[in-house]
Amino acid sequence: MVSDHLFCTEEWHIDELILIGNLYRFYDTDYMCRLIDEVLDRDFLYQEIATYKNLVEVTLLNVIQTLVERGALSEARRYDQKLQPMIVNERKAYHRLIYLYVKGFLLYALGQENGRADMERAIQAFEWMGSSYHATTYRKHFGEYVRNR
C-alpha cells in the first residue's frame, strides 16, 4: 500500500511528494492531514530545492481547497497559515493567483462574503491572462460550491 511505503520510507524524495500530491484526495481527512504534516515536518526537503518547494506549494493549495470542500475549516486555516509565507514572493504569481481563489473559498466558507469576490477576481484574472482552462475549472468549482448557496 502506498501509505505504508510513505511512512516506512525514512528519506522522501520527489517521488514521494508526487505520490502524496496525486493521492491525497483518496484518503480520509485525518490521514490526509497526517501526510501533509509529515511533508511540512520535512521542510529540509523543500527549503532548498525549487522543484520540491513547488510541489509542496501546489499540494498545499489543493489540500486547502479539498479541506474546505469537506468542511474541515480549522485544518484548512492551519495549512493556509503554513502556505502564506511560502508564496509571498511576487515571482510566484501563478501560485498567488490560485491562492487568491483558494483563500477566497476558505473565507467564504467561514462566512466572510468578501471571499466570494476574491474567488471571482481570480477567475477574471485567469480569463485576462488567457488561461481559459484554469478560468473554466475554477468557474465550474465556483458554480458547484458558491453560486447556488
Side-chain angles (χ1 to χ4, degrees), residues 8 15 28 36 52 73 75 93 98 107 111 126:
C8 291
D15 296 340
D28 68 36
I36 299 306
Y52 287 25
L73 302 181
E75 290 88 349
I98 294 172
L107 292 174
F126 280 123

Short mmCIF file of all heavy atoms in Angstrom, two decimals, residues 8 15 28 36 52 73 75 93 98 107 111 126:
data_model
loop_
_atom_site.label_atom_id
_atom_site.label_comp_id
_atom_site.label_asym_id
_atom_site.label_seq_id
_atom_site.Cartn_x
_atom_site.Cartn_y
_atom_site.Cartn_z
N CYS A 8 7.03 4.22 5.93
CA CYS A 8 8.18 3.35 6.18
C CYS A 8 9.45 3.89 5.54
O CYS A 8 10.54 3.43 5.87
CB CYS A 8 7.89 1.94 5.66
SG CYS A 8 6.64 1.07 6.61
N ASP A 15 9.68 11.57 -5.73
CA ASP A 15 8.67 10.55 -6.00
C ASP A 15 7.61 10.51 -4.90
O ASP A 15 6.41 10.40 -5.18
CB ASP A 15 9.30 9.16 -6.12
CG ASP A 15 10.23 9.05 -7.31
OD1 ASP A 15 10.11 9.87 -8.24
OD2 ASP A 15 11.08 8.15 -7.32
N ASP A 28 -8.98 9.70 3.90
CA ASP A 28 -9.89 10.48 4.73
C ASP A 28 -9.14 11.69 5.27
O ASP A 28 -7.90 11.77 5.19
CB ASP A 28 -10.50 9.61 5.85
CG ASP A 28 -9.50 9.15 6.90
OD1 ASP A 28 -8.56 9.90 7.25
OD2 ASP A 28 -9.67 8.03 7.40
N ILE A 36 0.26 15.42 5.16
CA ILE A 36 0.71 16.78 4.91
C ILE A 36 1.57 17.28 6.06
O ILE A 36 2.58 17.97 5.84
CB ILE A 36 -0.49 17.71 4.64
CG1 ILE A 36 -1.26 17.23 3.42
CG2 ILE A 36 -0.05 19.16 4.49
CD1 ILE A 36 -0.42 17.06 2.16
N TYR A 52 10.99 20.73 -5.39
CA TYR A 52 10.31 20.20 -4.22
C TYR A 52 9.40 21.27 -3.62
O TYR A 52 8.25 21.00 -3.26
CB TYR A 52 11.31 19.76 -3.16
CG TYR A 52 12.08 18.50 -3.46
CD1 TYR A 52 12.29 18.06 -4.75
CD2 TYR A 52 12.62 17.75 -2.44
CE1 TYR A 52 13.01 16.91 -5.02
CE2 TYR A 52 13.35 16.59 -2.69
CZ TYR A 52 13.54 16.19 -3.99
OH TYR A 52 14.25 15.05 -4.24
N LEU A 73 -12.64 23.17 8.21
CA LEU A 73 -12.17 24.54 8.10
C LEU A 73 -11.00 24.86 9.03
O LEU A 73 -10.12 25.64 8.66
CB LEU A 73 -13.32 25.51 8.33
CG LEU A 73 -14.50 25.35 7.36
CD1 LEU A 73 -15.58 26.38 7.66
CD2 LEU A 73 -14.05 25.43 5.92
N GLU A 75 -8.59 22.84 9.92
CA GLU A 75 -7.41 22.29 9.29
C GLU A 75 -7.01 23.13 8.08
O GLU A 75 -5.82 23.39 7.85
CB GLU A 75 -7.63 20.83 8.86
CG GLU A 75 -7.72 19.85 10.00
CD GLU A 75 -9.15 19.69 10.53
OE1 GLU A 75 -10.04 20.50 10.17
OE2 GLU A 75 -9.38 18.78 11.33
N ALA A 93 3.59 34.37 -9.10
CA ALA A 93 2.29 34.92 -9.49
C ALA A 93 1.25 33.84 -9.74
O ALA A 93 0.09 33.99 -9.36
CB ALA A 93 2.45 35.82 -10.71
N ILE A 98 -3.83 31.33 -7.83
CA ILE A 98 -4.61 30.18 -7.34
C ILE A 98 -4.92 30.37 -5.86
O ILE A 98 -6.03 30.10 -5.40
CB ILE A 98 -3.86 28.85 -7.59
CG1 ILE A 98 -3.76 28.59 -9.09
CG2 ILE A 98 -4.58 27.69 -6.89
CD1 ILE A 98 -2.89 27.41 -9.46
N LEU A 107 -12.38 31.80 3.04
CA LEU A 107 -13.06 32.92 3.70
C LEU A 107 -14.58 32.83 3.51
O LEU A 107 -15.34 33.05 4.46
CB LEU A 107 -12.53 34.25 3.17
CG LEU A 107 -11.08 34.58 3.52
CD1 LEU A 107 -10.64 35.86 2.82
CD2 LEU A 107 -10.90 34.70 5.03
N GLY A 111 -17.84 32.23 6.29
CA GLY A 111 -18.92 33.20 6.42
C GLY A 111 -18.57 34.63 6.03
O GLY A 111 -19.35 35.54 6.26
N PHE A 126 -7.59 34.90 -14.49
CA PHE A 126 -7.26 33.79 -15.40
C PHE A 126 -7.77 34.09 -16.80
O PHE A 126 -7.09 33.81 -17.78
CB PHE A 126 -7.82 32.47 -14.88
CG PHE A 126 -6.99 31.82 -13.82
CD1 PHE A 126 -7.54 31.50 -12.58
CD2 PHE A 126 -5.66 31.51 -14.04
CE1 PHE A 126 -6.78 30.90 -11.59
CE2 PHE A 126 -4.88 30.90 -13.06
CZ PHE A 126 -5.45 30.60 -11.83
#
